[in-house]
Amino acid sequence: MSATIVGWGMAVPEQIWTNAHLESMVDTTDAWIVSRTGIRQRRIADDGDTTFSLGLDAATRALAQAGLSAADVDMVIVATLTPETPMPATANLIQDAIGARSAGAFDLNAACAGFTYGLEIGRALIDAGSAQTVLVIGSETMSRVVDWTDRSTCVLFGDGAGAVVMQGSATGGIRGNSLGSDGSGAPLLHIPAGGSKLPASMETVRDRLHLLSMNGRAVYKFAVKATVRAAAVAMARAGWQPTDLDLFIPHQANLRIIDAVANELRLPDERVIVNADVYGNTSSASIPIALCEAVDQGRVNQGDRLVLVGFGAGLSWAAVAVEWTAPVTPSDGSASGAGATVPRQSASAARRLP
Ligand code: UT7
């Protein structure tokens, strides 16, 4: 018995900030951002958008896509590093809002690897008989923890949410995984204050310690190695070679990282999903958003072999190898708010860096 994805949905804020907009905020240029990251724009939460509201929208769409009701849900897992509040968990709020009265709920913080960690936990709960239907949500409002005066980080991130519904499956579904951590790299990407070590104070706010801080070069090197290794291990556990792969869905941090990984794994452009150009890095939301868009674009078919890999703060990483089992009826792209007002490039065009 394994577990498989039976529903999917996404939600992103309406507001779009282009690189030109960021040029008016910090000392940067569109040319620098595109050449170093491939990012051209990102969605930014409006006053009314929160990690809860975006996650709720994505979850509601995923349940509708699956043809299930909230009463069917046994567990709600929200992967996030930007929870609605430190306590209670955002998952509790979404469980209540959708009316999943018999579900458990908890948040999971594995930063940008959170969603793929969540998929493996969902699989394990279903496999153990602890749950029949699990809702896994990745939702982030990175704009609320980004330092908008720090040009080296603020150009990278965006907001959004994606969700999947998982159920048991006799065939297909999750076939392999690789979960990892190297906490010695914790200072490379962190939010120093707001926890037990440095509780909120006038000083921590003054020193901007509640905002994200990153050593970009070190994280870049880690990201390429960790993603290649995690993907290779998950594929090996599934009994697959890279040539067996139909679609690779990496965390959408940076096109250079995605390209370097694809080159190492010898994956052609058409088997790699890229949408960092329009959403930036949405942390735990990036993989489910990319999955939803891949389905909408008709790039996922029953029987396809997919590998999804997340990496980020922790340092953490998680890959899952999934044999897609669901009949594919594209979700309503207009309802997702995705692509409605943005001229999209093809994935291969998006990948071409100047
Ligand atoms: O979910 C995981 C999250 N993290 C990541 O994926 C980040 C991984 N790292 C990266 O993607 C890259 O390291 C960055 C895109 C963050 C930075 O690219 P880089 O090629 O490593 O640049 P750098 O940090 O070495 O900076 C090169 C130069 C510096 O100027 P000097 O010292 O050479 O004069 C920076 O001050 O670029 C400057 N710079 C900028 N210039 C214009 C840094 N940020 C900007 C900017 N606009 N936004």
Side-chain angles (χ1 to χ4, degrees):
M1 167 81 149
S2 183
T4 197
I5 293 169
V6 297
W8 51 92
M10 61 175 278
V12 291
E14 289 289 319
Q15 186 175 206
I16 296 168
W17 283 9
T18 61
N19 292 348
H21 182 82
L22 298 188
E23 285 176 354
S24 69
M25 297 172 65
V26 288
D27 180 16
T28 191
T29 60
D30 174 58
W32 191 95
I33 301 170
V34 173
S35 67
R36 302 292 171 124
T37 72
I39 297 166
R40 295 171 192 274
Q41 62 180 46
R42 67 287 292 144
R43 299 298 181 109
I44 297 291
D46 236 318
D47 288 348
D49 299 316
T50 66
T51 295
F52 159 72
S53 71
L54 293 168
L56 174 62
D57 285 354
T60 304
R61 286 170 186 147
L63 279 171
Q65 174 72 39
L68 294 170
S69 78
D72 298 311
V73 177
D74 300 307
M75 186 63 73
V76 179
I77 303 173
V78 175
T80 187
L81 67 89
T82 53
E84 192 78 353
T85 55
M87 184 181 77
T90 307
N92 297 111
L93 307 180
I94 293 179
Q95 169 269 322
D96 178 57
I98 60 175
R101 303 276 166 256
S102 53
F106 66 97
D107 281 5
L108 181 170
N109 182 350
C112 307
F115 180 76
T116 37
Y117 258 93
L119 286 183
E120 173 54 19
I121 293 168
R123 183 207 63 77
L125 287 170
I126 290 167
D127 195 26
S130 305
Q132 289 190 332
T133 304
V134 178
L135 187 53
V136 182
I137 303 160
S139 185
E140 303 282 11
T141 43
M142 296 302 291
S143 62
R144 304 264 155 85
V145 296
V146 160
D147 183 347
W148 291 105
T149 66
D150 175 8
R151 69 175 183 173
S152 69
T153 54
C154 75
V155 302
L156 304 174
F157 295 96
D159 301 331
V164 298
V165 182
M166 300 179 74
Q167 287 191 324
S169 165
T171 57
I174 295 188
R175 311 298 301 268
N177 69 70
S178 172
L179 309 183
S181 161
D182 177 5
S184 71
L188 298 177
L189 177 48
H190 65 155
I191 296 174
S196 176
K197 185 180 176 185
L198 282 177
S201 68
M202 298 295 277
E203 289 71 30
T204 58
V205 173
R206 181 198 63 208
D207 296 340
R208 311 183 79 74
L209 296 176
H210 297 272
L211 303 176
L212 182 150
S213 154
M214 177 172 70
N215 177 335
R217 281 191 182 182
V219 173
Y220 185 102
K221 283 184 197 149
F222 147 75
V224 175
K225 271 193 210 151
T227 306
V228 170
R229 196 175 49 221
V233 170
M235 281 190 280
R237 288 180 178 162
W240 305 347
Q241 301 292 327
T243 46
D244 296 328
L245 209 58
D246 294 295
L247 214 53
F248 182 60
I249 308 185
H251 170 45
Q252 302 289 313
N254 177 319
L255 263 68
R256 283 160 64 211
I257 295 174
I258 295 173
D259 275 343
V261 170
N263 283 341
E264 289 236 8
L265 295 173
R266 296 201 167 81
L267 297 173
D269 282 7
E270 62 275 12
R271 290 202 222 144
V272 181
I273 294 293
V274 171
N275 67 4
D277 54 322
V278 289
Y279 297 116
N281 179 347
T282 58
S283 189
S284 69
S286 90
I287 291 174
I289 289 175
L291 174 66
C292 286
E293 291 211 330
V295 174
D296 269 354
Q297 292 161 9
R299 297 177 69 183
V300 181
N301 299 296
Q302 268 181 313
D304 277 359
R305 294 171 166 188
L306 280 55
V307 166
L308 285 52
V309 192
F311 59 86
L315 302 167
S316 318
W317 59 91
V320 291
V322 185
E323 190 178 320
W324 191 263
T325 54
V328 182
T329 41
S331 61
D332 177 358
S334 61
S336 75
T341 55
V342 195
R344 293 301 310 270
Q345 306 174 77
S346 69
S348 54
R351 290 176 59 130
R352 278 197 294 276
L353 299 175

